[in-house]
Amino acid sequence: MKKPNTQPALHKVIMVGSGGVGKSALTLQFMYDEFVEDYEPTKADSYRKRVVLDGEEVQIDILDTAGQEDYAAIRDNYFRSGEGFLCVFSITEDDSFQATQEFRDQILRVKNDENIPFLLVGNKSDLDEKRKVSVFESCSRAATWGVPYVETSAKTRSNVDKVFYDLMREIRSRKIEDNKPGNSRGKDKSKRKKLKCVIL
Amino acid sequence: MADIADLKIGSSDFNPDKYVRELSQRCVGGQELQQQYQKIQSLGEDTSAQLKRNVYQNYTQFIETAKEISHLESEMYQLSHLLTEQRSLLAALASTSLLGGTNAGAATGGESSTDVTAEPEKQFQIEDEERRRKLTAALEKVEGCVDLIESPARSVIHEGDLLELDPTEGTAMQRMHAFLFNDGLLLAPWIPNRRGPARYKFQTLIELGSFAAVNVRDMGSVKTAFKLLAFPDTRLFQCTSNQSKKEWLEKFEAAKKAALAQEQPKRQESVATSETSPVRSSSVDSSSGMNPFEDNCAVSSPDIAELPEWLLELPEDLDVCIAQRHFEDAYALLQKANQFTFPTSKDPQLLDIRRKVDGRGRALIEVLMKELEVSPDKSLQGGLRAARRAVRLLNQLGRSSQACDLFLKLCSSILKAQLRRVKREGATVVYVKHLGGIFFSNMMDMASEFLRAFPNSPSCASALVVWAGSELTHLTSHLVKQVFMPQSPISTLSECVVTIRTQCDQLTSLGIDLRYQLDGLLRSPLQRALSDARDKAVEAVKLRAVEDKWRPTNLGNKDALTKFVMETGLSPNHMQKYVQGESWIVLSASTVAFTRQYLSLLEDCLRLCTTELAHTVDQVLTDVFGAQLSHVEVNLQSDKLGNPEKSFIQKNAAFLLSELLPLVTKTYQERLNNPCQTLEVLKTKFSWMKPADGDGGEPSPAPAPAKRPTPLPRTTAPRPAPTKYSTVTEYI
């Protein structure tokens, strides 16, 4: 029999966000260090990678979901399996930013957990000249949710690793906390990292 | 030595080096070392022999197990064969009946494909039949999913072989066959050694709405795979090719979309839901009918409505109560059911319930009886108190006689266990006292417990009496074995028997008098013991007679003399004439010894004596006394002895006949309330031996025993004493 402890910890990350905001591009950049120019809508793809997180070998399981509206009804099943969420929007498209609220709501409903590891990601930061969503706007939304906000660029690979690693750290600390017996939910709210706004 | 070595070598912290060092230190010279060496070698041989034996034993066990397993396997095969036949039969039945009913349900079948409404009715029917045929054909191959065919709207969208992989490691787990229906995904692993038509075994049916399929990007060993997220599980499946994976994912999506499209109009149209719900419920009903574990009373629902709900749930409630050991509640429920006047109608529903309730009643009784039953692995710790509940309930259920039987059996085993604890150590009397004490005090407790549990039932009471009798028989047979041995003195026996008798009499307070039975059981061993005692006593008399020198006895000191007089129980006044000086008594040693022995024998005999034993006791007393008297007689008539001796002998005879014998008869009379005839005979027979000379007053007490002798006649006795004394002293 295989011993479970020999298997590195598995963190399940789910990419959510409207269609065309660059979820797959971020994932592929993280996975294979390549930027795919061609756009082909994703249905649901799963990736797995071994990475070293703060000196510890872990596995990341990335579920890249479909952003298209017609899949909204069946997203619940994806979200249930997630331990952490990267909620991506394009800073060049206000609709995608507005849609993040809907994703957030759905995730909270499915997971029934206010403190689920969650990052708000503004992608396509390389296209700053086409920016439609201001940093202030994004930061304040992230602040109301109590989550960090990070701007990334799948094309230049800026902050790509950061969002995945930050999320994994949150998932990991969350798991450690959950395993501690008798800790209250109210406590970890106060312990939560200070919200920061990373724009680069 | 070897044992110590055994222990040392066997211990867990055995250190060979240390052991050898110790050994070599302890042993002096090669000889001893050689011995040790041999010892260890023999130990080693023993161990290897044991090991061999163990291996052999395990081996035979293994063979037996293997046989058993193969036997079981063949049975399982037979069973599976039977089940398969049954299943195909049922499937055939179900499909025929459903085909007949599809016309009516055709309208609902339209859900399976969206464009069907545009098609003419006839073509739809053909399509539906085609769908059904396909479904049946597909599911034929899967074991344990007959009821899936029932759902009228179900159709197969896609099917294929998949390989399930470990979701974390990506290693192969099992081969699967998957069916995608319009409403769910059926997963069925391959049956490794299949028999019959079924190739796959039903594992699970995941509803379409509760899983999500995710394409898995090829990664290392995991290729052409997709993931199934069915919370909380994540399952990984490998397809045979990229093409088939693509197909699966497309089909999943299509099915989901179709289901969604179907959902939406339903939500808007409330009528549509009412249309589908009867279909659902009917399928549920029919499937539950197939379930052999469910009570079939649920099937014919319309009649039930008239009956109270508690009645319908009664069998189940009873089951629960019995299983949870709430026997009182179960009884209460049964009572309630019995009080419920069942309508006389031949309603099968009611009859069914009635039958079931009766069955549960029997089950309850059985469980309660089990409760009372004695088994070796059951602890008797709780004693009778623990049995109270079961007994009470069984009584209430009208099973008094069984309960009484089991209760008494329980008593027996408790008693046995208690008695077994009594160890025989020390004096017999103490042992018997202890044993009897435990026996009778337990008996008391049990009898009172019994009377408490079974009041006012003569048949049970008689069972108790019989039981007590048989227990007593056990006890006495044990006692006879333990106590009545040829070498045990009659005094011990009498003490034991008296102890047992008094303990036995305690039971009379509960109305159980076992005394007669006890005496009856002890009679023959006692008779034997008494005649043994007699023989011994007579033997002793004879022995003493041989050594008799016919001289007065010196008892050593005054205290001893007083003690003897006290022992005899004769008043000191009477003894006065036989006493000389400080410590002398004018009786021969044999007479003194006999007096002592006889008085203790008398005491024992009288203690043991019962009406049945009276004859034996008489015999014993008379024979022993007679033996002594004949000894005196023989000496008196003997020519070898001179006159002074004869007069001394006469004096002894006088003591025996006028002092001891009256005392004996008096005591006898007092204790048993009737005179001892045989002793009277003895008296008259030997009365001639009494000295006729100087003590003219002597004959007068002859009839005394009957009238209780008074000390009066003996007032004259001291007078001749001095003369006697002078004559006797000559011999000293």
Side-chain angles (χ1 to χ4, degrees):
Chain A
M1 283 303 288
K2 303 145 214 159
K3 288 186 186 93
N5 2 350
T6 58
Q7 198 69 23
L10 178 66
H11 301 311
K12 295 177 188 167
V13 173
I14 296 185
M15 311 291 294
V16 299
S18 308
V21 296
K23 298 184 293 296
S24 302
L26 278 172
T27 309
L28 291 171
Q29 185 61 269
F30 176 72
M31 286 296 297
Y32 307 117
D33 295 320
E34 59 186 22
F35 180 64
V36 187
E37 291 273 2
D38 314 328
Y39 176 65
E40 190 200 331
T42 309
K43 279 162 190 159
D45 282 348
S46 161
Y47 302 83
R48 188 169 291 195
K49 190 179 186 179
R50 281 178 189 237
V51 293
V52 177
L53 176 67
D54 303 332
E56 177 198 6
E57 193 184 355
V58 297
Q59 274 197 89
I60 181 167
D61 186 287
I62 305 168
L63 176 59
D64 185 12
T65 62
Q68 275 67 32
E69 190 57 38
D70 44 344
Y71 288 93
I74 54 173
R75 274 186 209 132
D76 285 13
N77 289 314
Y78 298 123
F79 292 175
R80 270 193 202 103
S81 70
E83 293 167 343
F85 295 84
L86 288 182
C87 186
V88 188
F89 67 94
S90 165
I91 60 162
T92 64
E93 195 189 340
D94 189 54
D95 282 352
S96 74
F97 178 64
Q98 298 311 325
T100 55
Q101 184 65 51
E102 196 187 315
F103 283 108
R104 170 81 182 173
D105 292 344
Q106 193 176 2
I107 287 164
L108 292 191
R109 178 172 55 76
V110 170
K111 296 302 284 187
N112 193 23
D113 179 3
E114 288 281 336
N115 298 321
I116 186 84
F118 191 100
L119 256 71
L120 183 62
V121 180
N123 195 29
K124 307 194 186 177
S125 64
D126 53 303
L127 302 175
D128 200 42
E129 69 280 5
K130 292 183 187 170
R131 182 186 279 276
K132 295 277 163 49
V133 184
S134 73
V135 176
F136 175 74
E137 227 179 325
S138 317
C139 274
S140 57
R141 174 164 287 187
T144 44
W145 290 351
V147 301
Y149 172 62
V150 186
E151 292 207 341
T152 58
S153 165
K155 189 171 185 177
T156 65
R157 211 169 198 277
S158 136
N159 276 345
V160 169
D161 281 350
K162 180 183 167 54
V163 289
F164 284 102
Y165 279 94
D166 280 356
L167 186 63
M168 277 194 280
R169 283 190 193 100
E170 286 219 27
I171 294 171
R172 186 183 55 189
S173 64
R174 183 60 198 272
K175 281 178 182 167
I176 291 167
E177 244 172 73
D178 281 353
N179 286 337
K180 259 189 263 165
N183 71 326
S184 61
R185 277 282 153 87
K187 203 172 131 198
D188 64 356
K189 214 165 202 171
S190 59
K191 270 177 74 185
R192 282 185 72 82
K193 267 195 287 187
K194 259 209 246 155
L195 313 171
K196 44 183 180 176
C197 195
V198 184
I199 302 133
L200 218 214
Chain B
M1 182 66 213
D3 290 342
I4 295 165
D6 263 349
L7 276 176
K8 271 189 183 164
I9 293 172
S11 72
S12 52
D13 55 343
F14 174 66
N15 182 355
D17 289 339
K18 200 173 149 217
Y19 181 71
V20 168
R21 209 178 310 129
E22 268 177 23
L23 214 59
S24 49
Q25 269 171 4
R26 203 172 49 224
C27 295
V28 185
Q31 191 83 33
E32 221 170 306
L33 270 175
Q34 202 83 36
Q35 274 176 10
Q36 291 295 343
Y37 169 75
Q38 272 168 2
K39 247 177 222 163
I40 290 169
Q41 202 163 32
S42 69
L43 205 66
E45 276 162 14
D46 276 1
T47 312
S48 72
Q50 265 176 1
L51 189 69
K52 264 184 210 159
R53 205 166 41 239
N54 280 341
V55 165
Y56 176 72
Q57 269 172 0
N58 284 335
Y59 189 63
T60 47
Q61 257 179 1
F62 173 71
I63 290 172
E64 271 165 30
T65 315
K67 269 185 202 159
E68 197 61 35
I69 288 170
S70 71
H71 186 68
L72 265 174
E73 194 189 10
S74 68
E75 269 179 8
M76 291 309 285
Y77 278 142
Q78 281 171 10
L79 214 66
S80 97
H81 178 69
L82 273 173
L83 283 174
T84 319
E85 269 180 10
Q86 291 277 329
R87 196 186 55 78
S88 54
L89 201 69
L90 283 172
L93 270 172
S95 66
T96 46
S97 69
L98 273 163
L99 278 174
T102 39
N103 286 343
T108 53
E111 295 159 356
S112 55
S113 56
T114 42
D115 56 345
V116 123
T117 40
E119 301 281 330
E121 183 83 349
K122 201 178 167 193
Q123 198 185 334
F124 166 73
Q125 267 190 20
I126 294 165
E127 205 168 274
D128 190 52
E129 233 161 86
E130 166 75 12
R131 175 194 68 78
R132 184 166 299 282
R133 197 190 49 72
K134 230 173 126 183
L135 182 66
T136 314
L139 293 180
E140 191 88 305
K141 288 183 264 179
V142 185
E143 202 174 87
C145 64
V146 184
D147 53 328
L148 293 181
I149 306 173
E150 309 290 307
S151 182
R154 185 166 289 149
S155 62
V156 181
I157 292 174
H158 191 61
E159 68 168 291
D161 286 327
L162 296 169
L163 178 68
E164 181 165 12
L165 304 178
D166 186 294
T168 48
E169 300 192 11
T171 48
M173 277 166 64
Q174 58 183 343
R175 289 173 75 186
M176 282 278 188
H177 198 80
F179 295 92
L180 178 64
F181 302 126
N182 55 338
D183 62 347
L185 178 73
L186 171 71
L187 291 172
W190 282 58
I191 298 172
N193 306 310
R194 77 187 174 85
R195 324 185 109 237
R199 289 164 64 182
Y200 320 109
K201 189 171 162 43
F202 175 78
Q203 189 188 57
T204 181
L205 176 70
I206 313 172
E207 266 185 60
L208 195 69
S210 63
F211 75 88
V214 176
N215 171 38
V216 174
R217 291 296 179 107
D218 293 354
M219 178 70 78
S221 62
V222 182
K223 286 195 171 72
T224 67
F226 66 87
K227 225 186 231 180
L228 224 53
L229 306 176
F231 191 77
D233 296 326
T234 300
R235 303 177 70 164
L236 192 60
F237 295 97
Q238 191 169 42
C239 305
T240 43
S241 66
N242 247 329
Q243 183 58 39
S244 90
K245 172 166 105 169
K246 218 172 141 193
E247 206 173 340
W248 269 111
L249 289 171
E250 273 168 12
K251 295 286 183 189
F252 280 134
E253 204 186 324
K256 286 205 170 235
K257 281 195 170 150
L260 275 176
Q262 197 189 313
E263 275 299 292
Q264 263 138 21
K266 242 190 240 168
R267 263 184 226 145
Q268 294 151 2
E269 221 179 313
S270 60
V271 196
T273 44
S274 69
E275 191 184 14
T276 46
S277 56
V279 176
R280 270 248 171 256
S281 68
S282 79
S283 84
V284 166
D285 268 358
S286 57
S287 69
S288 68
M290 303 290 261
N291 190 343
F293 299 108
E294 217 155 285
D295 280 312
N296 40 6
C297 68
V299 181
S300 53
S301 38
D303 316 344
I304 294 174
E306 302 152 17
L307 298 171
E309 200 179 333
W310 66 266
L311 193 65
L312 298 175
E313 287 165 3
L314 191 61
E316 283 76 22
D317 287 349
L318 279 173
D319 277 344
V320 169
C321 284
I322 293 170
Q324 296 180 340
R325 303 171 60 80
H326 294 155
F327 300 133
E328 282 85 357
D329 298 348
Y331 174 70
L333 280 174
L334 274 177
Q335 278 305 96
K336 203 171 163 194
N338 286 337
Q339 276 158 14
F340 179 76
T341 44
F342 281 89
T344 42
S345 72
K346 289 266 194 258
D347 184 358
Q349 201 55 50
L350 266 179
L351 288 175
D352 191 49
I353 291 176
R354 178 82 258 191
R355 191 174 48 72
K356 265 185 203 150
V357 168
D358 288 348
R360 298 308 190 277
R362 278 193 296 278
L364 177 63
I365 287 166
E366 224 159 83
V367 168
L368 286 170
M369 304 252 282
K370 270 261 158 54
E371 198 78 347
L372 277 179
E373 235 162 60
V374 181
S375 63
D377 52 324
K378 221 189 238 174
S379 151
L380 298 169
Q381 210 60 51
L384 290 175
R385 218 166 276 269
R388 269 188 195 171
R389 183 178 174 213
V391 168
R392 193 184 60 238
L393 285 166
L394 279 172
N395 267 336
Q396 286 170 343
L397 286 163
R399 297 300 175 120
S400 295
S401 54
Q402 277 104 319
C404 152
D405 192 37
L406 288 168
F407 181 82
L408 290 177
K409 270 185 190 147
L410 184 68
C411 286
S412 290
S413 55
I414 290 174
L415 198 56
K416 211 186 221 168
Q418 294 271 13
L419 290 180
R420 204 172 291 147
R421 243 176 265 162
V422 183
K423 291 276 180 311
R424 177 163 191 173
E425 49 195 3
T428 317
V429 181
V430 176
Y431 170 69
V432 169
K433 202 166 185 170
H434 193 185
L435 196 73
I438 285 176
F439 178 85
F440 287 106
S441 66
N442 268 300
M443 195 77 130
M444 285 279 277
D445 289 350
M446 284 162 187
S448 51
E449 187 76 40
F450 186 93
L451 293 174
R452 215 186 69 92
F454 302 96
N456 312 322
S457 76
S459 59
C460 291
S462 62
L464 173 67
V465 171
V466 171
W467 171 77
S470 73
E471 285 304 320
L472 187 72
T473 315
H474 276 303
L475 177 75
T476 42
S477 70
H478 174 74
L479 279 181
V480 166
K481 264 184 247 152
Q482 291 286 316
V483 180
F484 286 83
M485 284 173 290
Q487 63 268 31
S488 52
I490 190 87
S491 57
T492 314
L493 284 184
S494 69
E495 205 165 343
C496 293
V497 170
V498 168
T499 311
I500 293 286
R501 276 180 187 159
T502 39
Q503 284 166 341
C504 182
D505 287 342
Q506 292 173 347
L507 280 174
T508 48
S509 64
L510 289 171
I512 302 170
D513 193 349
L514 295 171
R515 187 51 198 282
Y516 178 75
Q517 195 179 359
L518 178 68
D519 286 342
L521 287 163
L522 287 175
R523 189 164 66 208
S524 64
L526 274 179
Q527 270 172 350
R528 227 178 9 255
L530 281 171
S531 48
D532 278 357
R534 180 194 58 194
D535 294 348
K536 261 187 228 162
V538 170
E539 201 64 29
V541 166
K542 280 182 184 152
L543 268 174
R544 279 196 296 267
V546 174
E547 289 160 4
D548 208 341
K549 296 284 188 294
W550 297 113
R551 285 176 192 171
T553 315
N554 187 353
L555 290 171
N557 54 43
K558 198 168 194 256
D559 289 346
L561 183 70
T562 334
K563 200 175 151 225
F564 171 71
V565 174
M566 292 292 280
E567 271 172 10
T568 56
L570 292 161
S571 68
N573 288 349
H574 285 200
M575 290 305 287
Q576 205 56 54
K577 55 180 169 183
Y578 301 105
V579 175
Q580 269 179 348
E582 286 277 287
S583 60
W584 287 89
I585 192 153
V586 199
L587 290 171
S588 77
S590 87
T591 314
V592 170
F594 172 76
T595 309
R596 276 185 179 142
Q597 183 204 18
Y598 193 79
L599 285 173
S600 88
L601 178 71
L602 175 74
E603 180 59 30
D604 291 336
C605 282
L606 292 180
R607 279 163 88 176
L608 286 175
C609 192
T610 58
T611 326
E612 298 82 32
L613 281 172
H615 179 70
T616 322
V617 166
D618 284 1
Q619 205 85 49
V620 170
L621 290 177
T622 314
D623 285 357
V624 176
F625 210 93
Q628 178 69 13
L629 284 176
S630 356
H631 155 63
V632 176
E633 187 181 32
V634 165
N635 277 288
L636 206 55
Q637 288 171 337
S638 148
D639 304 333
K640 286 176 200 161
L641 295 165
N643 257 350
E645 281 166 329
K646 288 236 167 114
S647 113
F648 182 72
I649 294 169
Q650 248 177 356
K651 191 129 196 182
N652 276 295
F655 172 77
L656 289 173
L657 286 168
S658 0
E659 299 295 341
L660 189 57
L661 193 57
L663 177 77
V664 168
T665 45
K666 182 182 160 223
T667 320
Y668 186 97
Q669 169 96 29
E670 270 173 5
R671 294 277 285 273
L672 301 181
N673 283 330
N674 59 322
C676 178
Q677 253 91 35
T678 45
L679 282 177
E680 295 294 332
V681 172
L682 210 62
K683 190 171 188 173
T684 37
K685 187 180 163 195
F686 289 99
S687 58
W688 66 270
M689 293 197 297
K690 278 195 273 187
D693 59 339
D695 4 290
E698 280 304 316
S700 62
K707 290 193 248 162
R708 311 225 167 156
T710 52
L712 192 79
R714 257 149 248 181
T715 46
T716 50
R719 225 187 323 129
T723 49
K724 292 267 161 78
Y725 173 69
S726 58
T727 49
V728 173
T729 39
E730 283 164 34
Y731 298 102
I732 300 165

